Amino acid sequence: MLLPCVLREFSRCSTLSMHCSRVLRLQQKLQPSERGLHTRAQEFIARRMGLRWKPQTRGIKNRSNKRGSQEDEWKSKNKTVLTYIAAAGVGMIGISYASVPLYRLYCQASGLGGTAVAGHDADQVATMTPVKDRVIKISFNADTHASMQWNFRPQQSEIYVVPGETALAFYRARNPTDKPVIGISTYNVVPFDAGQYFNKIQCFCFEEQRLNPKEEVDMPVFFYIDPEFDEDPRMARVDTIVLSYTFFEAKEGQPLPPLPGYSYK
Amino acid sequence: MSTAMNFSSKAFKPRAPDKGSFPLDHFGECKGFKDTFMKCLRDNSFDNSMCRLQSKDYLQCRMDNQLMAKEPLEKLGFADLKESSPSPEDKDAKE
């Protein structure tokens, strides 16, 4: 029985069959005195021929397979990582293109950047009802440009209004010079977020106003605060709004520079 | 004036008034109504709700003296102060 195994060894010099190895291992467990003549001869031959006894014949193919499969595994891993990175890059480019309309939508929804959220139709004035329990103090401020010589000041320092109610306020301007001066004004509302609810029905801004020498006029501002002001959670702590007008001099024949942010809505 | 130099996007955008600009009252035709209104404000500690009648009178004076486009009072938010029928609508050209 053992002899064919040995013969096979001679012929192929390759792995032992399982059967032989198992038999060998069994025989090796036996004491040297108990081992048979055949096994002792086998061991002698194996040692002389330098054969490597591989008791674990099962794992040989798997080990070389393991080495190859590891490389394959690395290759496939690299491929998936590269695919993910490429997808992320393409996704970034797509997001950067899509961000422009998306941001615009977001601004309109959230009212950021002063984009008008509350409706400004004239019919709203006729149908709106005042929110009586929310009193807001409007403070008035008046400025002139350094080269503008008018005396420009508000006639009341503050006024208490409620949203949904139209209110009237007055400024006074005086031309102390001896020459007619044409002025043009713009306004500002602080806090900026509240500015979108501050609706002016009529005022004296953005149009040239001419004052003759030594003339003094009253300039009214007719405005209201949108009733939706009361429902905006961001305005919950806003109790004071400052309305600030600034007068500039409009020189004859000079084209007006575009006022920043001036837009008809 | 707020410029766009702020980092935060909460920049203020001035808007044109709905009905345009008031022509200047060079001759002081409605000065009396204005004084009544200011006196009312001072007496009521600057509470606008108490002085709406006076503001209505002032705007009515402006409309009568061609210093303001004629509008029905409801459009100006004075629907609750209307006691008689409004004057016929005569839209003047806006200044």
Side-chain angles (χ1 to χ4, degrees):
Chain A
M1 193 177 62
L2 290 167
L3 214 51
C5 288
V6 177
L7 280 174
R8 250 180 273 147
E9 285 291 341
F10 282 126
S11 57
R12 269 193 264 129
C13 292
S14 61
T15 64
L16 281 171
S17 67
M18 257 177 56
H19 178 71
C20 301
S21 62
R22 211 187 295 140
V23 169
L24 267 173
R25 260 182 276 130
L26 272 169
Q27 285 175 343
Q28 277 159 8
K29 281 184 196 161
L30 300 168
Q31 293 299 321
S33 57
E34 292 164 5
R35 285 186 198 169
L37 194 60
H38 290 284
T39 50
R40 295 227 310 255
Q42 261 182 354
E43 285 170 6
F44 177 69
I45 292 168
R47 230 177 290 133
R48 284 304 296 269
M49 293 196 57
L51 288 175
R52 284 205 212 110
W53 299 93
K54 292 176 194 168
Q56 288 288 356
T57 57
R58 243 182 179 173
I60 297 224
K61 261 193 183 166
N62 292 346
R63 220 180 286 154
S64 64
N65 267 355
K66 252 193 218 165
R67 215 176 281 140
S69 72
Q70 214 174 25
E71 285 177 7
D72 284 341
E73 210 179 304
W74 285 342
K75 271 191 197 162
S76 71
K77 262 193 199 169
N78 283 348
K79 257 191 216 162
T80 46
V81 169
L82 279 173
T83 317
Y84 275 124
I85 290 178
V90 170
M92 295 284 188
I93 294 176
I95 288 175
S96 64
Y97 272 111
S99 66
V100 172
L102 283 176
Y103 186 68
R104 207 176 296 146
L105 282 173
Y106 166 70
C107 277
Q108 277 181 0
S110 70
L112 221 57
T115 50
V117 171
H120 298 302
D121 44 355
D123 303 333
Q124 191 194 18
V125 184
T127 53
M128 65 185 181
T129 53
V131 182
K132 290 277 181 200
D133 50 353
R134 184 81 190 270
V135 178
I136 303 166
K137 177 172 133 176
I138 314 272
S139 294
F140 297 96
N141 184 35
D143 284 317
T144 52
H145 186 62
S147 61
M148 176 61 148
Q149 288 158 321
W150 285 5
N151 297 332
F152 179 57
R153 60 195 181 283
Q155 294 192 30
Q156 68 282 309
S157 55
E158 71 240 356
I159 195 171
Y160 294 89
V161 299
V162 294
E165 203 172 60
T166 53
L168 189 62
F170 286 94
Y171 282 81
R172 177 174 297 152
R174 183 167 180 276
N175 181 7
T177 65
D178 296 324
K179 294 190 298 285
V181 175
I182 301 176
I184 187 164
S185 68
T186 184
Y187 76 102
N188 194 359
V189 175
V190 182
F192 295 150
D193 296 341
Q196 60 183 337
Y197 294 106
F198 187 87
N199 303 323
K200 295 189 315 305
I201 298 175
Q202 206 160 1
C203 72
F204 53 89
C205 41
F206 302 129
E207 281 198 20
E208 292 182 1
Q209 314 284 358
R210 183 195 165 97
L211 274 185
N212 292 320
K214 310 288 183 206
E215 192 181 355
E216 186 172 16
V217 290
D218 301 313
M219 294 173 161
V221 182
F222 193 44
F223 63 93
Y224 68 96
I225 299 199
D226 202 302
E228 286 183 12
F229 180 90
D230 192 35
E231 288 150 29
D232 192 339
R234 287 178 299 147
M235 302 288 134
R237 290 209 216 108
V238 173
D239 289 323
T240 310
I241 294 179
V242 182
L243 173 65
S244 173
Y245 274 90
T246 310
F247 253 102
F248 300 88
E249 191 174 343
K251 295 197 170 51
E252 297 280 357
Q254 205 177 44
L256 289 171
L259 295 167
Y262 174 43
S263 60
Y264 273 108
K265 272 284 173 204
Chain B
M1 227 158 58
S2 71
T3 59
M5 295 300 167
N6 314 339
F7 168 66
S8 76
S9 51
K10 287 183 195 170
F12 175 70
K13 287 196 170 63
R15 284 196 313 269
D18 293 341
K19 295 197 183 356
S21 177
F22 275 125
L24 283 186
D25 185 9
H26 289 279
F27 302 110
E29 288 153 344
C30 298
K31 200 166 157 62
F33 291 96
K34 183 218 74 163
D35 289 332
T36 321
F37 175 70
M38 293 306 297
K39 187 169 183 307
C40 166
L41 272 189
R42 266 179 240 123
D43 292 340
N44 292 302
S45 62
F46 297 104
D47 189 2
N48 176 63
S49 322
M50 315 287 288
C51 299
R52 297 195 61 232
L53 200 61
Q54 285 80 1
S55 60
K56 177 189 80 85
D57 290 337
Y58 176 79
L59 292 173
Q60 191 70 52
C61 162
R62 276 216 158 220
M63 284 193 255
D64 294 338
N65 290 312
Q66 310 229 333
L67 291 168
M68 187 172 157
K70 283 205 167 52
E71 300 255 357
L73 289 177
E74 300 94 20
K75 286 244 180 89
L76 299 172
F78 293 119
D80 48 338
L81 295 178
K82 218 159 59 73
E83 62 270 302
S84 59
S85 58
S87 54
E89 261 191 76
D90 185 17
K91 290 240 188 269
D92 299 350
K94 287 207 192 107
E95 301 284 336

